[in-house]
């Protein structure tokens, strides 16, 4: 599933993408059975609830809970960094440790310090430390930063916390260009081979770690960080996949829930195929909003004023089909051309934030009229976190590793995908076929999944604010409604707007409600709804 943060070419506030796919659009997914979960693999999808862990800390974990950070300067003015240890395997801590990278910016004042506020931008695979240093630690409301130490921990397997490693740069370039709308048996075999190569590389380069990057384990790591910071309860803002991480924490440790904001919420009760299909429909909803906006502008290359969203979609689909057979130049130093795969990723990337729509119009105009794919390549590279030197961040590797461990694969074979394509195309005529095939990669993963669909109730937890955006492309609004209902103390806050997530995106109503909750502990009124202004 996709879920991930917005591409770097968009606004500074970054969120997240799709369930382990070639598009690498921000994966979401759920893991309920690993490391400390008591759900049962034989249970029907979504019928079980994540059970809380015992309140007493097991003696074998006491040394981990006794840690204290050794803060040091880490190259970004105003921020400090440290490293904490967590057991690689919570079931058998003697197997060894994993190192977690933690960063903070101390409360600035004025006002009495409330405690630590952990942030996570989503992914899975997004670096929380990068997010803290580039946005949250300097861009969150001043009144919040005044009262909280702003803190981030890169989840296990991500960025600075012993990253999962898979393909190298050149092979990643080939992987991201693989055709995900195969037209015949040969192209289907090429796509399957790409998934197998990616999975095999992960299994070879990260063999031991690959079994221990589930969301349940990452949530348990967050509790170690909470204890190390000296906080009795966790205060947390998670976006996109970060909502699943935060909700999982609440399910495991309901008595330790402080003030939790889950923005752009996921529904942990759904199986992978339904999650992927729902997200496909979410991208279609976002695209239709883009289409309506585009045709109202004089530089829209997909249709003039009055052109219906359906026709705009057909025009874009026709352009993708041309690129499938005849990729266009992009002035890339490494010789890459923009075919259907990279172009689709570039368009999907812009769906995360309406602020990127003008950039997308320009990129499509130059691609369609001048056969210059440079603009679409910029969007695609920002999504994949590819640098100018041809290297990639480990986002895609971690994304797949967590997703494929957290849930059984959406499809087990190409034959299953072929049967499922019509349903995905019904959800999105523009993106459906590609997103269906992009849901196949976990079928070849070298490690069996440890999670399953499940509810998260977190009985006894303090009020938890769940934020849903009505036209969110990556985490459809019904997911937020479902999660808020599952959580025994969930309070739904609705943003009637476009784009992925809501906090810090221009709605004074949303920001005020969340700020009040973080600073005073008062959740929004039941049924509160906000607009963009």
């Amino acid at each position: 599933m996709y879920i991930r943060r917005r591409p770097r070419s968009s606004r500074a506030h970054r969120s997240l993408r799709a369930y382990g796919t070639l598009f690498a659009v921000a994966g979401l997914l759920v893991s309920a059975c690993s490391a400390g979960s008591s759900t049962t693999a034989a249970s029907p999808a979504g019928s079980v609830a994540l059970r809380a862990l015992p309140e007493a800390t097991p003696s074998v974990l006491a040394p981990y809970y006794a840690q204290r950070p050794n803060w040091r300067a880490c190259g970004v003015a105003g921020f400090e960094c440290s490293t904490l240890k967590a057991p690689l395997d919570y079931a058998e801590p003697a197997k060894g440790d994993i190192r977690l990278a933690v960063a903070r910016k101390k409360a600035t004042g004025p006002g009495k310090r409330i405690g630590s506020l952990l942030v996570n931008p989503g992914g899975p695979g997004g670096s929380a430390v990068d997010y803290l240093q580039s946005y949250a630690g300097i861009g969150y409301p001043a009144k919040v930063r005044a009262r909280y130490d702003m803190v981030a921990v890169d989840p296990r397997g991500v960025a600075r916390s012993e990253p999962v490693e898979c393909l190298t740069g050149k092979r990643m370039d080939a992987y991201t260009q693989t055709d995900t709308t195969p037209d015949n048996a040969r192209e289907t075999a090429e796509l399957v081979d790409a998934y197998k190569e990616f999975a095999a590389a992960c299994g070879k380069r990260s063999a031991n770690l690959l079994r221990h990057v589930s969301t349940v384990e990452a949530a348990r790591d967050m509790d170690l960080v909470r204890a190390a910071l000296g906080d009795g309860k966790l205060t947390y803002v998670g976006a996109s996949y970060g909502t699943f991480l935060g909700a999982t924490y609440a399910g495991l440790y309901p008595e330790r829930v402080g003030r939790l904001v889950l923005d752009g919420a996921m529904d942990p009760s759904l199986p992978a195929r339904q999650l992927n299909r729902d997200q496909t429909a979410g991208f279609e909803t976002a695209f239709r909003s883009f289409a309506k906006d585009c045709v109202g502008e004089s530089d829209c290359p997909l249709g003039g004023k009055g052109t219906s969203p359906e026709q705009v979609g057909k025009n874009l689909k026709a352009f993708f089909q041309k690129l499938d057979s005849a990729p266009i130049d992009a002035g890339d130093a490494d010789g890459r051309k923009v075919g259907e795969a990279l172009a689709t990723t570039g368009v999907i990337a812009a769906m995360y934030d309406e602020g990127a729509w003008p950039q997308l119009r320009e990129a499509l105009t130059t691609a369609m009229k001048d056969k210059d794919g440079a603009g679409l390549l910029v969007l695609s590279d920002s999504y994949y976190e590819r640098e100018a030197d041809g290297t990639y961040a480990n986002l895609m590797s971690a994304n797949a590793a967590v997703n494929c461990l957290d849930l059984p694969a959406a499809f087990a074979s190409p034959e299953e995908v072929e049967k499922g394509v019509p349903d995905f195309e019904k959800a999105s005529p523009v993106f459906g076929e590609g997103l269906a095939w992009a849901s196949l990669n976990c079928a070849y993963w070298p490690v069996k999944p440890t999670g399953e669909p499940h509810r998260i109730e977190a009985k006894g937890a303090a009020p938890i604010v769940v934020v849903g955006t009505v036209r969110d492309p990556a985490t459809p609004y019904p997911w937020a409604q479902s999660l808020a209902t599952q959580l025994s103390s969930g309070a739904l806050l609705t943003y009637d707007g476009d784009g992925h997530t809501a906090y810090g995106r221009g709605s004074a109503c949303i920001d005020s409600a969340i700020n009040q909750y973080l600073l005073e502990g008062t959740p929004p009124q039941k049924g509160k709804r906000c607009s963009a202004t």
Side-chain angles (χ1 to χ4, degrees):
M1 166 121 260
Y2 288 100
I3 308 181
R4 70 154 272 189
R5 45 192 176 160
R6 297 182 195 90
R8 285 172 291 179
S9 60
S10 188
R11 297 183 186 180
H13 181 136
R14 292 147 65 169
S15 313
L16 285 98
R17 73 193 136 191
Y19 183 80
T21 78
L22 282 181
F23 293 119
V25 242
L28 102 75
L29 279 292
V30 259
S31 81
C33 283
S34 56
S37 167
S38 56
T39 57
T40 308
S43 302
S47 68
V48 294
L50 182 65
R51 294 181 185 175
L53 292 170
E55 291 189 33
T57 301
S59 59
V60 70
L61 296 180
Y64 297 100
Y65 275 86
Q67 296 177 93
R68 292 295 178 266
N70 179 22
W71 297 111
R72 62 189 183 280
C74 52
V76 180
F79 292 87
E80 300 172 306
C81 294
S82 185
T83 302
L84 297 172
K85 292 181 179 180
L88 175 67
D89 184 347
Y90 276 92
E92 298 183 58
K95 285 185 175 180
D97 297 334
I98 189 170
R99 296 181 299 276
L100 303 174
V102 186
R104 77 170 178 182
K105 186 176 184 182
K106 297 179 71 173
T108 60
K112 183 179 179 180
R113 175 184 175 276
I114 297 174
S116 304
L117 172 57
L118 268 71
V119 295
N120 184 283
S127 171
V129 172
D130 284 352
Y131 177 72
L132 176 74
Q133 294 178 339
S134 65
Y135 174 70
I138 55 178
Y140 265 38
K143 61 178 70 175
V144 173
R145 292 182 285 114
R147 304 286 301 282
Y148 282 101
D149 291 344
M150 300 294 295
V151 180
V153 54
D154 280 346
R156 55 174 57 208
V158 174
R160 299 166 181 80
S161 293
E162 301 197 18
V164 171
E165 296 181 344
C166 299
L167 296 175
T168 57
K170 288 291 186 183
R171 294 311 304 159
M172 275 299 297
D173 279 348
Y175 182 71
T176 59
Q177 295 176 76
T178 304
D179 185 0
T180 54
T181 57
D183 300 315
N184 50 49
R186 177 184 59 79
E187 291 184 354
T188 299
E190 290 174 352
L191 179 58
V192 169
D193 287 346
Y195 287 141
K196 288 181 177 179
E197 180 189 6
F198 185 89
C202 297
K204 181 178 181 180
R205 301 184 69 189
S206 301
N208 293 329
L209 184 59
L210 222 54
R211 293 174 171 80
H212 298 288
V213 291
S214 70
T215 298
V216 165
E217 289 163 309
R220 298 191 71 171
D221 293 344
M222 283 208 304
D223 198 52
L224 297 182
V225 175
R226 173 204 58 78
L229 295 170
D231 292 339
K233 295 181 182 293
L234 179 74
T235 297
Y236 171 86
V237 176
S240 198
Y241 163 81
T243 67
F244 178 55
L245 181 58
T248 300
Y249 180 92
L252 296 174
Y253 306 103
E255 76 286 352
R256 297 174 192 168
V257 169
R259 302 168 187 178
L260 263 61
V261 177
L262 308 179
D263 184 12
M266 290 173 43
D267 183 355
S269 70
L270 301 177
R273 189 181 301 185
Q274 185 172 346
L275 285 166
N276 287 359
R277 187 200 177 280
D278 285 356
Q279 194 176 59
T280 299
F283 281 113
E284 181 68 19
T285 297
F287 177 75
R288 290 175 69 89
S289 291
F290 163 75
K292 292 176 183 178
D293 179 80
C294 185
V295 299
E297 302 291 337
S298 61
D299 61 344
C300 181
L302 296 171
K305 191 172 183 179
T307 306
S308 69
E310 291 81 6
Q311 186 59 51
V312 171
K314 290 178 181 178
N315 294 342
L316 180 62
K317 185 70 174 178
F319 174 61
F320 285 161
Q321 290 171 346
K322 288 182 180 179
L323 294 179
D324 187 29
S325 57
I328 57 177
D329 289 329
D332 180 57
D334 295 307
R336 292 177 300 158
K337 292 188 175 184
V338 173
E340 182 180 14
L342 291 178
T344 302
T345 302
V347 172
I348 284 178
M351 294 301 100
Y352 281 80
D353 187 341
E354 67 272 26
W357 291 354
Q359 181 181 355
L360 176 59
R361 287 200 312 272
E362 181 180 356
L364 286 171
T365 297
T366 57
M368 297 175 74
K369 295 184 177 180
D370 303 329
K371 294 187 178 181
D372 179 357
L376 288 173
L377 189 61
V378 166
L379 284 167
S380 178
D381 282 353
S382 71
Y383 202 71
Y384 286 122
E385 294 200 351
R386 183 191 190 272
E387 302 296 340
D389 63 1
T391 61
Y392 288 76
N394 94 304
L395 173 64
M396 283 190 65
S397 300
N399 185 275
V402 176
N403 286 337
C404 296
L405 195 61
D406 272 356
L407 279 183
F411 295 104
S413 68
E415 291 74 22
E416 285 192 8
V417 178
E418 288 173 353
K419 292 178 181 178
V421 163
D423 192 38
F424 275 67
E425 288 187 318
K426 183 178 179 180
S428 173
V430 179
F431 305 115
E433 181 185 8
L435 295 186
W437 283 102
S439 304
L440 180 63
N441 77 323
C442 286
Y444 308 103
W445 204 244
V447 176
K448 292 182 179 180
T450 56
E452 63 173 342
H454 60 283
R455 301 188 318 280
I456 298 180
E457 298 173 351
K459 293 181 179 178
I464 299 171
V465 175
V466 179
V467 188
T469 297
V470 172
R471 292 177 295 281
D472 191 314
T475 50
Y477 180 63
W479 291 359
Q481 293 175 301
S482 177
L483 180 59
T485 300
Q486 292 172 44
L487 292 168
S488 62
S489 60
L492 178 63
L493 175 61
T494 297
Y495 175 51
D496 189 356
D498 296 291
H500 185 38
T501 72
Y503 187 42
R505 299 195 63 245
S507 171
C509 173
I510 289 287
D511 292 354
S512 176
I514 293 177
N515 292 343
Q516 182 179 26
Y517 171 67
L518 291 174
L519 295 172
E520 302 175 16
T522 305
Q525 292 182 345
K526 185 176 181 179
K528 186 173 180 62
R529 196 176 185 94
C530 296
S531 63
T533 57

